[in-house]
Structure formats: C-alpha cells, structure tokens
Amino acid sequence: MTNLATTLRSSATIALGRGARLAARLRGGGSGGTALPGLVVERTDPAFLGRMLAQLPRGVVVVSGTNGKTTTTKMIVQLLQSQGLKVLTNRTGSNFIRGVLASLLTEVDWRGRVDADIAVLELDEAHAVRFIQHVRPQATLLLNVMRDQLDRFGEVDYTASLLHQVAQATTGVVVVNQDDPRLVSPDFLDTLSARTASFGIGPALRSVFLSDDELHTARTSQPTAARPGEAVPGPMSPSHPTVLLEKLHGQEVTLQVRGVRRRVSMTIRGVHNQLNACAALALTLEILGPKADVSSVLDELSRVEPAFGRGEVVELDGREVELSLVKNPAGFRMGLLTAAQAEAETGPETLMVAINDEYADGRDMSWLWDVEFAGLREEGVAVVTGVRAWDMALRLRYDEVPVGAVEPDLAKALEVLRAASRRDGRRMRIFTSYTAMLALRHHLGELTEVEEVMK
C-alpha cells in the first residue's frame, strides 16, 4: 500500500472510530466511549493498531499479570514522563485490545500520526496474546500469576502460559516478579530471546507478599496480624533484582535499587502498591538504561497517586472515601491488609463491600470463599451491595462478621454507608469489584468531585 493510500485508510478509520466514540458518549450521557470505538476500528481496519504503534521510536511496553496492572502502568507512565519522554497509554484501564485502540484514537492526528516516543500499555493476559500478533513489545513487565476469573482463565498454569507467549514475543527486556515461581522457572525463562531482569521482596517481607501457591497451600495470617516478620521460603531470582523491596515503615519503604539501599516516602497508599512501585521502578530503569538518574526517578515515584478506583480517595460529607478494587483472593487479602494498616494508624473505618459478577468481574464468585474475613469481626461491615450482595453477606456470616444491611442497589447502599459514617464519625472504605467500582464512581460523581477519566 502506498503512503497516500495508507494515510487515506488511516484517516477514514480515525474518522469512523471518533464518530463511534461520540455516539457512545452521547448515548452514555457524556461518559464512557472506550469499547464501541475500539470495536469499530478493530473490525474495519485490523492493521490499524500495528501501523500506529510502529511509528514509536522507543517501541511498546506491555504490562500484564493478574494483579496491579493499572496502577503499575500509571506509575511507569509518570516516571518516564518525568524523564522527558512522551508516553502513549490506555489510561482508563480498559485493557482489552479495543481499549488500546480507543486510547489511540485520542492520541493520533487526523492523518494517523502519533506524537509520542513510547507506548506503555496495560493488557489483560488473554488480550496480550492477541496483541503480540500485531505488535512485538520492546519491553514486557510481568507482575504475578494468581487465581482469577476462573470462568475465563481456568487454572494458573494456563495464565502463566499466556504470559510466556508474550515474553517470547518481546524483543528487548522482560522484567519478572522474582518471587512468583511460575515466572522464574527454567521452563519460563530459558526459552526467551530477550534479556531478563527482575524485581521482588526481601526475606523479611515474605509473610506479607505471598505467591499463589503459598496462599493456597498454607493458612495465612489474619489481616490485622500480618506484618513484616519471619521469612517464608520462596523462589530465588535468576539474577540480582533491579529493585528489591526490603522493609515497610508505614508510607516509607526501604528499597535496594541496583544494589544501593534507598529510602523513599510514598504518597500512594497500600502495601500492595508499594510492591507495584518496585515493579514500575525496575521496568523504568531497564528502559532508561545504566545512565538513568535514579534519584530523580525516585523523587517522582514518591509523588505517584493511585489510579482511579485502586486506592483512590475522594471526599464526601467532609470525610474521606477510599475505593479498594478487589477481584480475586490475593487482591482482597492485600486490600484487607491495607485497611488493617489504616485502622492502626487513624482508627476504625465504616466499610462497604460491593460485588458484581459481570464479564469484566468474572462470573465465578466462588473465590470469595478463599478470602479470610475474620479480621473484620470486631467492627463489622456497614452495608453489602451489588449483584452478588447476598452471596457476599453469606460469606461474611460464615466468618462471623456482622453486616449492618444488605442492599443490592448501589446508589441506595451508598446512602446507607453515608448515614453510618455520619453516625460513627468515621472515614469510609469501599471494597469493590471492577464494574461496581465504575458505577459507584458515577454515583459519587453526582455527590462530590470525582476525576473524570473516560474520554
């Protein structure tokens, strides 16, 4: 195809996709518009994705794994931008190929020209495999392999096989979690043509950050008691990690960065996000190379805010509401650990749990029975909501956790939460599945200021 023909084809695709986005936004009352335009582009011009991303001088970074993709991607983008790079990303967290295409439509001009140096894209494990059929990543970050959406992925070995295909297609560097046995096994690493690097945790934190196998072969500590302490044996890294998380001190962390110990005060909350920060830092330093200004990158890392719905805090009725995304046992456990940490520092919170079972959440909710909720017994949960509200309430009852109300309607449940918070004078925390989080952000946006992220 000639350059003129390519430009005309791209222009037509962009016009069609933007038209679909406008139609989706009008239909959705001014919000949304991430799935339909991507679908239109995917169906009408399958080569569009490859053509656009081939223009990037520093290539494409893929971030994948079970937990932490959205927050870690946001961190990487901010770190690279702080070093002067123009970064293209799918900032809404829509991690299917359609979401990537929808994000591209907002970044290219009418001729199909991309004004960016590098793309950092969060991709669902299955869609990452589809993505590499169009584009080979220059760098890949693999966070973890956990049991998640069993109706889609089945067992964890299958998920690991998907990530293995992505790693095999990577041309530059693959950064893996050194503490995930499936990502550092010889069967996984020995077949890669790209060089490998890693991030991980020190021995003192092994009781906090458990692998999937550790979660399912041994009874874990209660969330209120789980603190850095006695080491739990784990897999060994194939090489010295680029970044190692050694100690936690509330919002401060001690890191080993390229063999040098550093202490960083983090803005972002949550113990899981402190490990996500290590992953983001490791990938960023591998991209920037040996001449990277580590001190400058660490300064920027300390300022990173959470991605929407992932530890995001908004103010309602003069009190904070923190949204904690939960979608599998490991993620819910980390959310409970973070809540326990917050309670120890600032006092009890008024809690809500919102669970849906839409496609993006995973239809199979049996994973709720793999989460230990006994740490919530003393304070209880003010309200349980969502499509699977009664299932969640039953699960809490088996762990003898008091539930104030069961209200499947999200908007009504939010009013119950507000009333309980006013009565108790406490900040609020909502443990929420993905689609419930999107709906709750919409309802919260009608009551207070919430960042608009859908383009």
Side-chain angles (χ1 to χ4, degrees):
M1 186 180 292
T2 66
N3 289 338
L4 177 59
T6 299
T7 299
L8 292 173
R9 179 67 185 273
S10 296
S11 297
T13 299
I14 292 165
L16 193 60
R18 288 177 176 172
R21 186 184 67 203
L22 177 61
R25 288 177 63 86
L26 291 174
R27 185 177 181 183
S31 63
T34 61
L36 178 61
L39 175 61
V40 168
V41 173
E42 187 177 25
R43 293 284 177 85
T44 59
D45 189 357
F48 181 81
L49 180 65
R51 287 202 310 275
M52 297 302 103
L53 296 181
Q55 301 175 48
L56 300 171
R58 303 193 67 154
V60 175
V61 176
V62 167
V63 180
S64 196
T66 306
N67 290 332
K69 295 185 289 294
T70 301
T71 297
T72 306
T73 298
K74 182 180 185 294
M75 289 178 173
I76 296 167
V77 170
Q78 187 167 331
L79 295 182
L80 292 176
Q81 288 175 334
S82 75
Q83 302 305 300
L85 293 178
K86 294 181 180 179
V87 185
L88 184 154
T89 189
N90 48 336
R91 68 184 300 265
T92 66
S94 181
N95 57 25
F96 291 4
I97 288 180
R98 295 170 189 174
V100 174
L101 287 167
S103 295
L104 271 173
L105 290 172
T106 68
E107 301 293 337
V108 300
D109 66 16
W110 67 272
R111 294 181 178 179
R113 294 179 299 193
V114 181
D115 183 22
D117 300 306
I118 190 170
V120 180
L121 304 173
E122 167 197 350
L123 284 166
D124 164 276
E125 299 93 311
H127 281 261
V129 173
R130 291 184 54 205
F131 178 85
I132 61 175
Q133 296 172 12
H134 302 276
V135 179
R136 296 189 68 185
Q138 189 277 332
T140 293
L141 173 61
L142 302 180
L143 296 168
N144 43 58
V145 182
M146 298 284 184
R147 293 167 207 273
D148 182 44
Q149 296 195 34
L150 298 181
D151 53 309
R152 288 186 61 214
F153 292 115
E155 285 302 303
V156 289
D157 289 333
Y158 173 67
T159 304
S161 74
L162 296 177
L163 296 181
H164 187 221
Q165 293 178 57
V166 179
Q168 286 180 311
T170 302
T171 60
V173 61
V174 176
V175 179
V176 298
N177 182 343
Q178 71 161 23
D179 302 297
D180 191 305
R182 288 172 177 80
L183 297 180
V184 295
S185 70
D187 288 344
F188 193 98
L189 294 178
D190 289 352
T191 60
L192 306 186
S193 58
R195 65 184 177 87
T196 59
S198 66
F199 70 95
I201 56 173
L205 297 180
R206 292 202 182 280
S207 63
V208 178
F209 299 98
L210 303 181
S211 71
D212 187 82
D213 290 341
E214 290 164 343
L215 276 172
H216 289 82
T217 58
R219 186 170 180 81
T220 63
S221 301
Q222 300 288 344
T224 53
R227 296 288 186 268
E230 185 175 348
V232 176
M236 298 299 293
S237 171
S239 60
H240 296 293
T242 304
V243 179
L244 193 70
L245 178 60
E246 292 188 330
K247 294 180 182 178
L248 304 175
H249 326 270
Q251 291 297 105
E252 288 193 335
V253 297
T254 298
L255 307 177
Q256 193 176 121
V257 184
R258 291 178 172 170
V260 178
R261 187 164 284 111
R262 306 270 190 155
R263 189 153 174 159
V264 183
S265 180
M266 304 292 294
T267 299
I268 197 167
R269 310 183 192 197
V271 292
H272 54 299
N273 283 327
Q274 291 165 338
L275 184 58
N276 290 336
C278 292
L281 178 60
L283 189 281
T284 299
L285 293 178
E286 292 300 327
I287 291 173
L288 295 177
K291 295 183 180 180
D293 185 344
V294 175
S295 295
S296 173
V297 176
L298 288 174
D299 285 344
E300 189 65 29
L301 186 66
S302 71
R303 293 188 284 269
V304 171
E305 298 281 353
F308 78 104
R310 281 84 169 171
E312 179 184 20
V313 178
V314 300
E315 188 172 296
L316 179 64
D317 302 330
R319 299 183 184 88
E320 290 185 337
V321 184
E322 184 164 340
L323 296 171
S324 180
L325 181 68
V326 294
K327 63 190 188 76
N328 53 44
F332 216 140
R333 178 178 179 273
M334 287 291 103
L336 292 169
L337 281 170
T338 297
Q341 184 184 64
E343 181 177 341
E345 294 174 357
T346 61
E349 301 171 320
T350 301
L351 302 180
M352 180 165 90
V353 183
I355 302 295
N356 280 355
D357 63 353
E358 304 298 331
Y359 176 77
D361 305 300
R363 302 287 190 184
D364 184 353
M365 289 291 114
S366 63
W367 63 267
L368 291 171
W369 294 87
D370 292 330
V371 183
E372 176 62 74
F373 293 102
L376 301 179
R377 284 174 185 164
E378 184 174 350
E379 299 297 335
V381 173
V383 58
V384 176
T385 185
V387 176
R388 301 298 285 266
W390 289 103
D391 300 77
M392 188 68 237
L394 178 64
R395 176 67 192 94
L396 292 173
R397 181 176 182 180
Y398 269 82
D399 271 359
E400 301 177 2
V401 177
V403 174
V406 180
E407 173 51 74
D409 184 274
L410 293 169
K412 293 178 181 178
L414 190 57
E415 292 305 313
V416 174
L417 179 70
R418 296 175 72 188
S421 174
R422 286 193 294 266
R423 181 187 68 235
D424 299 333
R426 298 175 177 177
R427 80 190 296 268
M428 293 161 274
R429 181 180 298 272
I430 303 175
F431 297 108
T432 174
S433 63
Y434 180 72
T435 62
M437 178 268 289
L438 295 179
L440 284 168
R441 289 186 87 256
H442 174 73
H443 293 309
L444 285 167
E446 296 175 340
L447 303 169
T448 187
E449 185 176 346
V450 177
E451 180 189 5
E452 175 63 53
V453 296
M454 298 299 185
K455 292 186 175 180

